[in-house]
Amino acid sequence: MFKRLFIEFFYGMLFGSMIWVLTGFFSGNIKYRIVYLVIFGLIGPLSELFNIDSLKPIYAFIIHFIGTFSLISILNIISGNFEIFEMPYLLKYIFNFVIIYIICWIISFVIFRKKTSEINDAIKKRNEH
């Protein structure tokens, strides 16, 4: 379990790095960049919620969304970016968060489908022989 959470932590950092590059967040000192990667690293293990059989997928999704939103909000607080919690910036912040969240889900879904397809193809080949 620890190994799986560790791997998910690095997947979170990977997505965080991708978002950093795509959104142009190149400013900030090295301390901010490390905090940024750690926060995104913590988002990765949240994905393990979807592997809990006793947790309904909708609840896992809601908890994941709230957890991710909370971690990103903490990141903004640590970076001193308090104005995003005031109107009209709050609406823009929530909108941007939802868009980026959806994009990450789409990428995750495409990766999952590709892996599933590869596994199914390997099983079919093995069964044919």
Side-chain angles (χ1 to χ4, degrees), residues 20 25-36 78-79:
W20 184 291
F25 293 141
F26 294 108
S27 62
N29 60 30
I30 190 70
K31 184 191 293 186
Y32 174 75
R33 291 176 187 187
I34 291 170
V35 169
Y36 178 92
I78 290 172
S79 69

Side-chain angles (χ1 to χ4, degrees), residues 91-109:
L91 294 176
K92 183 177 178 183
Y93 170 63
I94 293 170
F95 178 78
N96 288 339
F97 174 81
V98 169
I99 295 299
I100 292 170
Y101 191 82
I102 290 170
I103 290 169
C104 287
W105 267 104
I106 291 170
I107 291 169
S108 295
F109 183 74

Side-chain angles (χ1 to χ4, degrees), residues 2-18 37-47:
F2 180 75
K3 180 181 176 184
R4 180 78 179 150
L5 292 175
F6 191 70
I7 290 170
E8 292 293 336
F9 180 84
F10 283 103
Y11 278 137
M13 289 179 72
L14 176 68
F15 271 103
S17 299
M18 179 190 67
L37 288 175
V38 168
I39 293 286
F40 270 88
L42 292 174
I43 292 170
L46 278 175
S47 300

